[in-house]
Amino acid sequence: MTTTWTEIDSPIGALTLIATDDALRALYMVDHRHAPSVETYGDRVAAGDGVFAAATEQLGEYFDGDRREFDMPTAPVGTDFQLAVWNQLRQIPYGQTWTYGRIAARLGNARAVRAVGLANGRNPLSIVVPCHRVIGANGAMTGFGGGIERKEYLLGLEKAVPAAQPVLFA
């Protein structure tokens, strides 16, 4: 399995995308707290190559306010617990936030709040797996690997897009 990477521009700064031949493995922001060393990324390729084409297109649509969910193939690497947490993150609706406690409860262990927080912080697919939608129990903007300013930007972007209006029948 070959791993490659590219970098694209976005309103929150450069995004580094890492992929295998058929799936996006990671998306890191500039100065991302948990990004591995660039030497582990593989060869650098053009953003229009392979899985990067779909990722670039979908991320552009997201930042333009035209996309609420991502459907590109992904293959994050983590423990079983991390994968379970990241799956829960994908369940958080666009424009909404959940607490770490809510995710822990959905996983069947309401006391696993800290473990959920650690797994959330290690999410390798920022934005695509929306870890920015998780907040503290008191509504606080808690840690985010890309920085609180980026988290606030992403949440603001999502709230700025009006929800679909219900169709009323006469």
Side-chain angles (χ1 to χ4, degrees), residues 18 27 42 46 54 71 77 79 83 86 97 115-116 118 125 129 135-136 142 144 150-151 168:
I18 303 167
L27 184 159
D71 58 13
V77 176
T79 65
L83 292 170
W86 302 337
T97 57
V116 166
L118 291 172
L125 285 165
V129 175
I135 59 172
T142 56
F144 184 61
R150 288 185 181 103
K151 179 174 187 161
L168 302 176

Side-chain angles (χ1 to χ4, degrees), residues 52-64 66-73 128:
F52 296 128
T56 300
E57 179 179 351
Q58 290 186 31
L59 286 162
E61 292 168 353
Y62 170 80
F63 283 113
D64 287 343
D66 297 328
R67 177 171 288 276
R68 293 173 179 240
E69 295 178 11
F70 296 93
D71 58 13
M72 69 192 82
V128 175

